């Protein structure tokens, strides 16, 4: 097939999108843009103090690893993850508890990382989308999102993968209705809802098979 034939091009594009989908479902890499944020986890001296002023010791356990940080008490878990630990699966979209893109598991329960203070997350097991699997060994939910092509821009995807994972851990027999309820706190601005729930149901089947 010639390099520039339409079939060749569409195959290449499909292959590329499949690869991108895998990266997004596993690491949230779809939103590679690292947003510089308000109230971020760094403490600029230009805010009137020294870089060390008001910092407290914070210990976070994320994806099985323990991290020691020094943070302002007002820093959210989302900023600590993204800005300090470079764990960028959870996305910063609304930063006010409206969209679910920042969803992580706190002791197995989905929470909005943008509404959780890092200091308050101490003592909990935090799991982000990166903690579910790797591109080589994806979880059933991650696999299903890739197979069902359940994403467009990918910003919402880590949140949905996390919410669906939590729902299926709680009830492996969750049906379409229950999975939809579990994702009530997640919004897809691209409108990929049907595929998201196809993926969720497929993941339930895979998990039962496993
Ligand atoms: S970024 Fe946290 S709910 Fe939207
Ligand atoms: S795929 Fe774009 S917001 Fe959901």
């Amino acid at each position: 097939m010639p390099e520039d034939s339409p079939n060749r091009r569409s195959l290449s594009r499909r292959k590329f999108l499949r690869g991108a989908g895998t990266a997004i479902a596993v690491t949230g890499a779809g939103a590679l843009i690292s947003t510089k944020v308000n109230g971020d986890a760094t403490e600029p001296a230009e805010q009137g103090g020294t870089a060390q002023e008001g910092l407290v010791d914070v210990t976070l356990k994320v994806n099985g690893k323990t991290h020691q940080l020094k943070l302002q008490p007002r820093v959210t878990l989302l900023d600590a993850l993204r800005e300090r630990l470079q764990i960028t699966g959870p996305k910063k979209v609304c930063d006010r508890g409206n969209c679910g893109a920042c969803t992580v598991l706190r002791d197995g329960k989905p929470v909005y990382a943008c509404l959780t203070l890092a200091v308050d997350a101490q003592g909990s097991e935090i799991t982000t989308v990166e903690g579910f699997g790797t591109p080589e060994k994806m979880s059933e939910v991650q696999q299903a999102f890739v197979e069902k092509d359940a994403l467009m821009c990918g910003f919402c995807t880590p949140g949905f993968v996390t919410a669906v994972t939590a729902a299926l851990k709680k009830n492996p027999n969750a049906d379409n209705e229950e999975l939809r309820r579990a994702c009530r706190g997640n919004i897809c601005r691209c409108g990929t809802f049907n595929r998201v729930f196809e993926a969720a149901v497929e993941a339930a089947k895979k998990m039962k098979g496993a």
Side-chain angles (χ1 to χ4, degrees), residues 31 35 78 82 89-104 110-115 145 153-164 180-193 196-197:
T35 25
L78 182 60
R82 292 182 56 85
K91 295 288 171 276
K92 191 168 193 173
V93 176
C94 70
D95 202 21
R96 60 188 63 197
N98 283 339
C99 73
C102 64
T103 305
V104 299
V111 296
Y112 290 155
C114 72
L115 293 189
F145 270 70
C153 76
F155 269 87
C156 68
T157 311
F160 274 107
V161 168
T162 305
V164 169
R180 281 175 186 263
R181 269 201 304 278
C183 294
R184 273 181 309 196
N186 296 73
I187 294 169
C188 175
R189 287 172 173 79
C190 301
T192 324
F193 290 105
V196 163
F197 295 113

Side-chain angles (χ1 to χ4, degrees), residues 7-119:
N7 282 347
R8 176 87 185 205
R9 278 202 303 272
S10 82
L11 269 181
S12 304
R13 183 173 174 275
R14 196 175 309 136
K15 215 167 149 191
F16 169 77
L17 290 174
R18 173 60 58 89
T22 303
I24 291 165
V26 176
T27 65
L32 288 169
I33 306 155
S34 170
T35 25
K36 194 61 193 161
V37 291
N38 296 326
D40 65 15
T42 55
E43 289 307 318
E46 62 265 27
Q47 285 181 3
T50 67
Q52 297 296 311
E53 226 168 74
L55 300 183
V56 295
D57 289 316
V58 176
T59 305
L60 292 177
K61 192 161 180 203
V62 186
N63 300 331
K65 269 179 79 179
T66 301
H67 303 268
Q68 314 279 356
L69 300 171
K70 283 191 182 296
L71 299 171
Q72 289 284 348
R74 66 186 168 82
V75 170
T76 64
L77 175 60
L78 182 60
D79 284 342
L81 291 171
R82 292 182 56 85
E83 304 288 326
R84 293 295 300 277
L85 300 178
Q86 281 71 54
I87 296 174
T88 55
K91 295 288 171 276
K92 191 168 193 173
V93 176
C94 70
D95 202 21
R96 60 188 63 197
N98 283 339
C99 73
C102 64
T103 305
V104 299
L105 300 186
R106 181 176 180 179
D107 296 328
K109 295 201 178 116
V111 296
Y112 290 155
C114 72
L115 293 189
T116 306
L117 290 175
V119 286

